[in-house]
Amino acid sequence: MLASTTAPAAAPAGAPLRIIPVDVDGGTAVLYVTPQGHSLLIDAGWPSGMGGRATPGSPPPPSSAERIVKAAKEAGLSRIDYLLVTHYHVDHVGGVPDLIGMFPVDNIIDHGPNREGASPDLNERQLSYAPATIYPKYLAAIAGKPHRVMKPGDTLRIDDLVITAVDSDREILSKPLPGGGKPGWNCAAQTVDTRFVEEENPRSLGIVATWGKARILSLADTAWEIENKLVCPIDLIGPVDLMFADNHGTDNSGSPQLTNTVKPSVIIFGNGATKGGAGISLERAMASPRIKGMWQLHYATRSPDKNAPADQIANLADGPDAFHPLHIAVDKSGAITVTNPRNNFSKTYPKAN
């Protein structure tokens, strides 16, 4: 157990855990803030110059790191206590050097060394953002900071927020978490989907976060084969209240066995306008047994008839990108409230039975 290193401040009784999926245009950067003001950031989006839709005649869009810092300051933070890097693809780790150069980050967590080499047929641009190129820059940026490798079953406590690693570096839990232990959904019919799965995706560091009775599942870009192993033949996770769609909602993640076993009430798609949010993934989410709400960071232009209602999409397709995040409040009862800052639409989902 690794605990927060600073003394917690007094917090209002019953104050929620805040979760802020930052819009990094199809990358990942999700900020968790406890009522005491301690924080966990999962991934840091793209490096400067990537991950933003430029508008002709306008200044370049803010970098992922700039958007994260803005969200952190608006949440009242002066530093990030823990940065958890799930894996070493450019849309997850690329923004780390920029972020560390502009905002204090105290502790680093990851799955261990990069495992994805550079293919010899990459062109110069592709090589520049391959994990083999980015990983040394990441190591240089975090040099001298406390650094921990999390394995399945390892835990991290930040005030009353408990993070448990469920998969990491292709390994999975050795025994079910509380709430798990039953047979997974329709495991006899599970399929294999290995399309477009680079070496680092199945090595993603995935977690279950608990806050009182609330359970939150975030598996980053965990691949279909690992998703199935987490719930078949035995469910190692158990039901969850909130789930972040795997791999931005691309169609080679989000196995029906996983989604229909963990049965989230709310699913968040951290998609971009043209990245993730595949129609079949949106369909599977809305077909899961206990689903009450689906929210997206962007309108998925390639799946126009499958999107969530417009009120539940932070950034629509029309006009320049305003980089709206989503705001999520998690009550210890298990209730989840999601708010769209674009229009202040808000909806609360009580904990399912």
Side-chain angles (χ1 to χ4, degrees):
M1 183 79 74
L2 180 62
S4 182
T5 55
T6 56
L17 171 71
R18 291 178 290 165
I19 305 177
I20 305 164
V22 180
D23 172 28
V24 289
D25 204 47
T28 296
V30 181
L31 183 63
Y32 292 66
V33 183
T34 71
Q36 292 87 353
H38 293 135
S39 56
L40 167 73
L41 175 66
I42 298 182
D43 291 332
W46 307 86
S48 180
M50 295 183 69
R53 288 183 289 156
T55 302
S58 298
S63 68
S64 292
E66 289 170 330
R67 301 182 206 185
I68 294 166
V69 171
K70 181 176 185 289
K73 289 181 176 179
E74 289 177 349
L77 300 178
S78 59
R79 65 195 319 103
I80 290 169
D81 294 299
Y82 295 93
L83 169 60
L84 187 156
V85 174
T86 62
H87 64 297
Y88 306 118
H89 283 164
V90 64
D91 54 330
H92 293 255
V93 71
V96 170
D98 296 331
L99 177 64
I100 288 177
M102 62 196 321
F103 201 71
V105 176
D106 291 341
N107 299 277
I108 308 296
I109 300 167
D110 57 38
H111 75 58
N114 170 53
R115 310 291 190 180
E116 187 175 321
S119 171
D121 59 355
L122 295 181
N123 61 39
E124 185 176 353
R125 182 173 183 273
Q126 291 170 328
L127 182 61
S128 71
Y129 57 77
T133 302
I134 291 175
Y135 183 65
K137 297 178 181 179
Y138 163 70
L139 290 181
I142 68 171
K145 293 184 179 295
H147 178 196
R148 179 187 181 191
V149 173
M150 284 189 85
K151 297 295 185 182
D154 289 351
T155 57
L156 165 71
R157 177 180 284 275
I158 307 172
D159 302 322
D160 289 339
L161 174 64
V162 179
I163 306 295
T164 302
V166 297
D167 65 315
S168 179
D169 204 20
R170 276 193 178 272
E171 298 177 5
I172 63 170
L173 291 165
S174 60
K175 60 182 181 180
L177 297 178
K182 297 179 180 179
W185 178 85
N186 203 17
C187 288
Q190 66 179 294
T191 58
V192 176
D193 191 332
T194 57
R195 293 172 300 146
F196 320 120
V197 177
E198 301 91 345
E199 182 62 30
E200 272 295 303
N201 276 354
R203 297 187 184 276
S204 290
L205 171 51
I207 61 103
V208 165
T210 58
W211 178 257
K213 295 180 180 179
R215 303 182 83 237
I216 302 147
L217 179 64
S218 178
L219 297 181
D221 287 5
T222 292
W224 190 288
E225 59 166 308
I226 307 296
E227 292 176 336
N228 282 349
K229 288 179 180 179
L230 285 168
V231 294
C232 287
I234 298 298
D235 174 18
L236 299 175
I237 295 173
V240 302
D241 302 288
L242 174 65
M243 176 178 176
F244 288 91
D246 291 2
N247 201 7
H248 320 278
T250 57
D251 61 357
N252 66 328
S253 291
S255 150
Q257 276 64 35
L258 173 72
T259 308
N260 291 346
T261 297
V262 302
K263 300 181 289 189
S265 296
V266 181
I267 295 183
I268 306 292
F269 280 79
N271 63 304
T274 59
K275 181 182 176 190
I280 186 62
S281 298
L282 299 169
E283 281 185 352
R284 289 185 190 124
M286 289 308 299
S288 59
R290 298 193 309 176
I291 193 68
K292 301 297 182 185
M294 180 175 79
W295 295 68
Q296 297 166 223
L297 275 178
H298 277 268
Y299 180 88
T301 58
R302 292 182 290 186
S303 309
D305 58 336
K306 306 297 183 183
N307 283 274
D311 281 345
Q312 295 169 206
I313 302 174
N315 299 280
L316 298 178
D318 298 333
D321 190 350
F323 322 117
H324 293 296
L326 288 170
H327 290 166
I328 304 169
V330 182
D331 190 81
K332 285 189 174 180
S333 70
I336 308 291
T337 299
V338 188
T339 301
N340 183 351
R342 176 178 61 79
N343 57 5
N344 292 319
F345 177 78
S346 183
K347 193 165 184 179
T348 297
Y349 305 89
K351 186 173 179 67
N353 295 324

